[in-house]
Amino acid sequence: MAKQKRFTDPKKNAGKQKKRGPESANEFLAAGVDFEEAGEKWRAGDAEKSLRFFVRAIETYDAGLQFSPSFDLAYNKARLQYDVAQQPRLLAYLPTPLVDLLKLALDSHRYAMSIEQENADLLFNTGQVLTSLAETVSEGRNALESSKDRALTLFQEALGLFQRCLELQEFQFAEAEQQSARFKDSDTVAENEMAMMSGSVSDASEDESWASVMEPVTRNTLVDTLIAQLETLTTMCNLAGSQRNSELAWIEDYSRELIQGKIAFYVEGTQRHQEVALTKANLICAYSDYQFRSGFLDLSTYERDVATAFVEIPNLSQNPQMLCDMADAELALNASVTISLQATSQAPCYDRTQLNTYRWTHLTKALDHLTAASKLRHTQNLPKIHLHRGDCELLRYRLGEGSVPYDVARKSASTLIGNAEVYYRGAARLARNEGAVDEEREALVKEAVAASILGNVVKLSELVGKDKKLVSEVVEDMRDEGLLSPDSVSVLSKIP
């Protein structure tokens, strides 16, 4: 989440005054903050009204920048643009594509950096905008290889900014620690603090008492930045293709320094050991997957890395996010075994039956993790979890197809498809209740596809009549993800 710069409240003059427009940077800042606060007030209840206030706030900050290149105005404009781009409920009322909104936010962050280059919060926020933009340009079935190359470049730029941010934060943290040590045994700590507060207020004018609130850098602040770096590295590994050879080999040394050195030190004294352990586990799995796809890691070592990555995390069975991440790691392993192993020199070492056994085992583990997550009270994103459960069953069903079918999958085919249909139906119902339109549409199509495999084409035919484009897109995605064979797609495309 973007770091928000906080400000003290402006003093209000007594008595009524004639309303006039803002005329100084501070007045534009005050007006913009007022619009932001109004937007926050309506964010939960009326997204469209909330967006109008946020747009007015952005326009006000921008208008102020025409008068003065104020860092505070530039920072707030950039931060708010990114915040709006991260809110799906607000995006529904904007005609501008997400990628263009993120590009605007990035331009605004770069402008703010041209005013002040050594602001840790701004560096962190800009890194986040870059990672969001990278993820957006590289996702989807139509993402070109050039888009993925562009995304990797954006990720690397984000890493550089996170590193600069970390260096500044470490300097500020060390300075604060030294200052704290100097005043530790002093009886004048309170007096010094009061003197500093008094001085900052007296320097401001009576009617313009705006001042940036500089939040102290703590161990939690440093952990935030380190986790952002590790998550960026994880996404880069997931994005990289198998033909890139040693392009990302540097990640191992880079991440080792972060994990064994800095984060191990700064996490002490916080309550975030579990969060750090999960981030580390996800990176281990992603990097092992990248190495396996690139031919640098054998299957048994890859399996061992996935099996051991999460074992040291306490209370694992009670954390839905961790269970879902474990499922993702198992699904990634299945996909890589399917795509990469048969295309490398390792292929002769494994027959088709052995590969199917590997895949069945890991798909079953993924399904077990997702099922466990779905049963916990505080689980979020239940529609997506049920969608993934349905996907797991379709993937297991597919093992029973082909010239060398996996016997267990073949004998359980109708049960597996029936399970998938039930999970997709549940996902659609939950998504409808939560107002998650995209998940509901995806689940409805997948449910209809599962039903059609069992011979009931009524639902799919109805959906084709209502929105043929949607059905085609979801079916194509299912094919690309290995949920449907090309033959099945061909049959489904002929349903009127």
Side-chain angles (χ1 to χ4, degrees):
M1 173 183 252
K3 294 178 182 287
Q4 183 169 358
K5 184 178 287 294
R6 297 191 298 118
F7 299 90
T8 58
D9 293 331
K11 293 182 178 179
K12 306 293 183 181
N13 291 329
K16 294 184 178 179
Q17 298 182 352
K18 183 179 179 181
K19 289 186 178 181
R20 58 181 175 80
E23 298 176 348
S24 67
N26 275 348
E27 289 179 354
F28 277 104
L29 187 63
V33 170
D34 285 343
F35 286 132
E36 270 202 71
E37 290 176 347
E40 290 293 342
K41 176 182 176 182
W42 291 101
R43 188 195 289 257
D46 189 335
E48 187 174 12
K49 188 172 184 178
S50 173
L51 178 62
R52 288 200 297 270
F53 279 115
F54 287 144
V55 170
R56 292 182 70 182
I58 292 170
E59 291 173 345
T60 301
Y61 294 139
D62 190 54
L65 288 170
Q66 308 309 310
F67 285 85
S68 169
S70 160
F71 173 74
D72 290 335
L73 285 170
Y75 181 99
N76 270 19
K77 175 191 172 184
R79 173 190 49 75
L80 185 54
Q81 284 178 319
Y82 179 58
D83 186 41
V84 169
Q86 295 300 102
Q87 302 296 324
R89 295 184 69 244
L90 301 181
L91 291 177
Y93 298 99
L94 283 171
T96 309
L98 175 59
V99 66
D100 292 332
L101 291 174
L102 290 171
K103 287 178 180 178
L104 286 173
L106 180 59
D107 289 342
S108 295
H109 278 81
R110 293 196 193 285
Y111 175 74
M113 287 178 65
S114 72
I115 301 174
E116 185 172 335
Q117 298 180 5
E118 301 302 314
N119 182 280
D121 287 348
L122 178 60
L123 290 170
F124 183 90
N125 292 355
T126 309
Q128 285 206 311
V129 176
L130 285 164
T131 57
S132 295
L133 180 58
E135 290 169 355
T136 302
V137 300
S138 63
E139 67 184 10
R141 85 177 68 81
N142 296 319
L144 302 174
E145 194 65 23
S146 58
S147 298
K148 294 182 179 180
D149 290 337
R150 169 62 174 155
L152 286 172
T153 301
L154 293 170
F155 280 129
Q156 288 180 316
E157 184 180 355
L159 277 177
L161 292 177
F162 286 140
Q163 184 59 35
R164 282 175 57 192
C165 172
L166 181 66
E167 290 168 359
L168 277 172
Q169 290 173 335
E170 286 185 303
F171 175 77
Q172 294 166 2
F173 180 75
E175 227 179 23
E177 292 281 284
Q178 292 171 5
Q179 186 176 14
S180 176
R182 285 198 299 269
F183 285 114
K184 186 174 182 181
D185 300 321
S186 174
D187 293 329
T188 61
V189 175
E191 288 84 348
N192 283 323
E193 290 178 349
M194 290 299 294
M196 291 172 63
M197 292 175 62
S198 174
S200 65
V201 172
S202 63
D203 290 339
S205 65
E206 189 67 24
D207 59 345
E208 291 185 350
S209 62
W210 285 88
S212 298
V213 177
M214 301 299 294
E215 295 186 1
V217 175
T218 65
R219 288 178 177 269
N220 276 310
T221 311
L222 291 159
V223 170
D224 283 340
T225 305
L226 287 161
I227 284 179
Q229 286 179 281
L230 295 178
E231 289 177 340
T232 301
L233 293 171
T234 300
T235 309
M236 290 179 71
C237 289
N238 291 332
L239 181 63
S242 58
Q243 293 78 29
R244 298 181 186 278
N245 298 323
S246 59
E247 183 175 324
L248 299 184
W250 56 270
I251 286 181
E252 185 172 6
D253 292 333
Y254 188 99
S255 60
R256 184 185 298 114
E257 180 183 353
L258 294 179
I259 293 171
Q260 296 180 0
K262 295 181 182 297
I263 204 165
F265 173 73
Y266 289 122
V267 75
E268 292 303 321
T270 72
Q271 302 296 317
R272 304 178 69 180
H273 291 78
Q274 191 177 68
E275 181 184 1
V276 167
L278 178 61
T279 306
K280 174 184 172 183
N282 286 332
L283 177 56
I284 290 172
C285 292
Y287 187 65
S288 294
D289 182 60
Y290 162 72
Q291 285 191 305
F292 176 75
R293 284 184 280 112
S294 299
F296 299 132
L297 201 67
D298 60 77
L299 179 57
S300 59
T301 304
Y302 181 22
E303 281 192 300
R304 185 191 65 212
D305 288 347
V306 171
T308 59
F310 299 88
V311 294
E312 296 180 1
I313 303 177
N315 302 317
L316 188 61
S317 62
Q318 299 303 310
N319 189 311
Q321 184 59 56
M322 293 184 185
L323 290 167
C324 290
D325 286 351
M326 290 173 67
D328 288 342
E330 299 288 355
L331 289 170
L333 190 152
N334 167 72
S336 292
V337 166
T338 305
I339 298 171
S340 300
L341 192 56
Q342 298 176 25
T344 68
S345 58
Q346 300 182 64
C349 301
Y350 302 90
D351 60 31
R352 183 62 181 270
T353 301
Q354 189 175 6
L355 289 179
N356 285 340
T357 301
Y358 274 121
R359 294 183 61 198
W360 178 271
T361 299
H362 291 288
L363 287 171
T364 302
K365 287 181 179 179
L367 183 60
D368 290 343
H369 294 322
L370 292 168
T371 300
S374 70
K375 294 180 179 179
L376 296 177
R377 280 187 176 181
H378 50 292
T379 299
Q380 298 179 341
N381 297 322
L382 274 173
K384 288 186 178 180
I385 290 176
H386 285 298
L387 275 167
H388 289 322
R389 292 176 77 189
D391 293 347
C392 284
E393 291 293 47
L394 278 186
L395 288 169
R396 295 208 301 175
Y397 161 78
R398 291 242 20 230
L399 293 179
E401 298 179 332
S403 58
V404 187
Y406 188 60
D407 197 47
V408 177
R410 182 181 59 79
K411 292 178 179 178
S412 307
S414 60
T415 300
L416 296 173
I417 292 297
N419 289 343
E421 185 180 6
V422 170
Y423 295 146
Y424 290 142
R425 187 182 304 125
R429 184 184 68 255
L430 290 168
R432 189 179 307 115
N433 293 340
E434 295 181 10
V437 178
D438 291 341
E439 285 82 359
E440 181 186 0
R441 290 173 177 170
E442 178 184 352
L444 287 172
V445 175
K446 286 185 172 181
E447 178 194 355
V449 168
S452 69
I453 294 175
L454 290 175
N456 182 0
V457 300
V458 175
K459 289 184 178 179
L460 189 59
S461 181
E462 291 177 350
L463 288 174
V464 169
K466 293 178 181 177
D467 195 337
K468 186 175 182 178
K469 181 181 178 182
L470 170 66
V471 174
S472 297
E473 290 177 350
V474 173
V475 169
E476 286 178 20
D477 284 341
M478 295 176 74
R479 178 201 60 199
D480 294 343
E481 294 165 10
L483 303 178
L484 293 174
S485 67
D487 289 342
S488 296
V489 174
S490 178
V491 171
L492 293 172
S493 66
K494 297 176 183 177
I495 295 176

